[in-house]
Amino acid sequence: PPAGCPSSDRMIGGCARVAGVQAFCRVVRRTYVPAARSTFGDWIKPQERGGHVFGAYAAEYEAQRPTYPDAVYDAIDRVVGHTPSVVGTKDTAADLGCGTGRATFKLAERGYEVSGCDPDEGMLAVATKKASKDNSHSVSFYKCVAEDTGLPTASFNLVTCFQAWHWVDPTEGLAEVHRILKPGGVFAATWNDRKLHDPFVQDLEKLIETYNPKYNRMDRQCDMFGEALDQGGFLKFEGKLHLAHAMDLGDSNGLIQLCKTFSYVRNPLSAEALARFCVECKSLADLHFPDGRVVLPLVAHTYILRRQAESSKD
């Protein structure tokens, strides 16, 4: 296999080139059910545990989920010391929980050589399909969990995780990030959180909590995960970035379709309950946005850490 590709006896189907883009699939050796996340994971179906929560509706996820402000990527580049470019550089990045590759391709556009990692075949199928339509960037995809990527040790200038670290076992995940980062390399974890003090968001959160009593809006805020990223001494905080932005959903149907991609809406509700939820969701949007243009206030939180050049963990 090419450099950086796991050995063939630990892969599914070997290494396949898709329109000039290396697409790799690796055997998932473990299933992780993070106990600490049980407060919002009770509605995850048994067959979805271990990385198959979103694949069944990956196309909807790709179409509906919010993106991240360019300022997030700019901040990461500054800490890495990377100069954004469409031309390939020697800077390497691993994007954990890459899903459909939204951040993976963004990093590649900025000149990184990127390895996207995700355990969900459905999500990776969308990512590789996108890659096949544009082979101008250096992107590879691996089927693996973040806690056990199989990627080469000390090989990456940057490791990222967008909207996914709350699915990762923190102890094993941080050990793996430390292992694959080069000494002095950077880890950046980013989440889009809804802006809780906004009146529309408050009503939306209350609606979700009404239909899913096990959902708690505070459990969905990323600080409880981001603030713990320096545990175990694997990495040291370099900085935090909190950027207010907004997602233009178009109309009330855009809001409904977005909500249907939330595991805490899609999974626990019966078809009948989901239909009622959608009706109330539309009424909520009509109340807050009488002109019909629905905008969701968000905050992008980025936590940036660095692997020390010399560490007792080495």
Side-chain angles (χ1 to χ4, degrees):
C5 179
S7 60
S8 58
D9 63 340
R10 299 173 65 185
M11 297 169 53
I12 300 173
C15 295
R17 181 174 292 276
V18 182
V21 179
Q22 289 293 333
F24 306 127
C25 288
R26 182 172 173 276
V27 174
V28 180
R29 299 189 305 189
R30 303 177 186 173
T31 297
Y32 290 89
V33 184
R37 279 87 171 140
S38 61
T39 52
F40 66 83
D42 291 342
W43 51 83
I44 300 303
K45 300 172 184 177
Q47 66 270 27
E48 293 178 331
R49 295 184 184 274
H52 305 282
V53 178
F54 301 105
Y57 56 109
E60 290 85 349
Y61 188 103
E62 167 67 14
Q64 303 299 333
R65 285 299 183 101
T67 56
Y68 307 92
D70 285 343
V72 168
Y73 298 97
D74 292 341
I76 293 171
D77 284 342
R78 285 195 296 271
V79 179
V80 174
H82 175 80
T83 302
S85 172
V86 295
V87 180
T89 71
K90 292 184 179 180
D91 286 332
T92 53
D95 185 25
L96 306 182
C98 68
T100 60
R102 310 182 101 205
T104 314
F105 289 105
K106 188 72 173 180
L107 291 168
E109 289 172 3
R110 300 174 77 89
Y112 290 95
E113 182 177 318
V114 193
S115 296
C117 301
D118 202 278
D120 195 311
E121 293 179 2
M123 300 291 269
L124 289 175
V126 173
T128 54
K129 183 177 180 180
K130 289 163 58 178
S132 69
K133 295 179 180 179
D134 181 5
N135 61 2
S136 62
H137 305 301
S138 181
V139 179
S140 305
F141 290 103
Y142 298 87
K143 183 178 184 295
C144 58
V145 292
E147 299 90 341
D148 183 16
T149 65
L151 296 172
T153 298
S155 296
F156 295 92
N157 303 93
L158 171 67
V159 175
T160 59
C161 188
F162 287 79
Q163 207 72 27
W165 189 257
H166 51 281
W167 293 105
V168 178
D169 178 278
T171 301
E172 296 196 33
L174 288 170
E176 180 69 351
V177 169
H178 180 270
R179 184 187 69 80
I180 66 176
L181 274 176
K182 296 178 180 179
V186 172
F187 175 50
T190 299
W191 286 267
N192 270 321
D193 280 347
R194 295 185 286 275
K195 192 181 295 185
L196 289 184
H197 68 265
D198 180 85
F200 166 58
V201 171
Q202 291 177 353
D203 286 349
L204 178 62
E205 298 291 333
K206 183 178 179 179
L207 179 62
I208 296 172
E209 289 169 346
T210 299
Y211 276 85
N212 181 359
K214 292 182 178 179
Y215 171 83
N216 184 317
R217 69 187 75 180
M218 298 312 300
D219 288 341
R220 298 302 305 175
Q221 298 303 296
C222 70
D223 282 346
M224 64 185 295
F225 308 109
E227 296 294 343
L229 288 172
D230 62 348
Q231 67 178 355
F234 292 106
L235 306 167
K236 183 178 180 180
F237 270 113
E238 288 278 320
K240 308 170 190 177
L241 183 67
H242 307 283
L243 290 173
H245 65 121
M247 181 182 184
D248 187 342
L249 293 167
D251 56 19
S252 59
N253 184 61
L255 174 64
I256 291 169
Q257 297 308 314
L258 172 64
C259 288
K260 285 182 176 180
T261 71
F262 299 152
S263 65
Y264 44 86
V265 171
R266 169 181 170 268
N267 274 14
L269 304 189
S270 66
E272 181 182 354
L274 182 59
R276 294 198 307 271
F277 173 87
C278 291
V279 170
E280 292 197 47
C281 199
K282 182 181 186 309
S283 297
L284 185 64
D286 292 343
L287 174 65
H288 284 273
F289 302 97
D291 64 351
R293 196 70 178 181
V294 180
V295 177
L296 181 64
L298 300 168
V299 180
H301 303 278
T302 299
Y303 299 82
I304 300 178
L305 301 93
R306 189 184 298 276
R307 175 185 168 175
Q308 301 306 292
E310 294 183 4
S311 169
S312 60
K313 296 291 181 181
D314 289 336

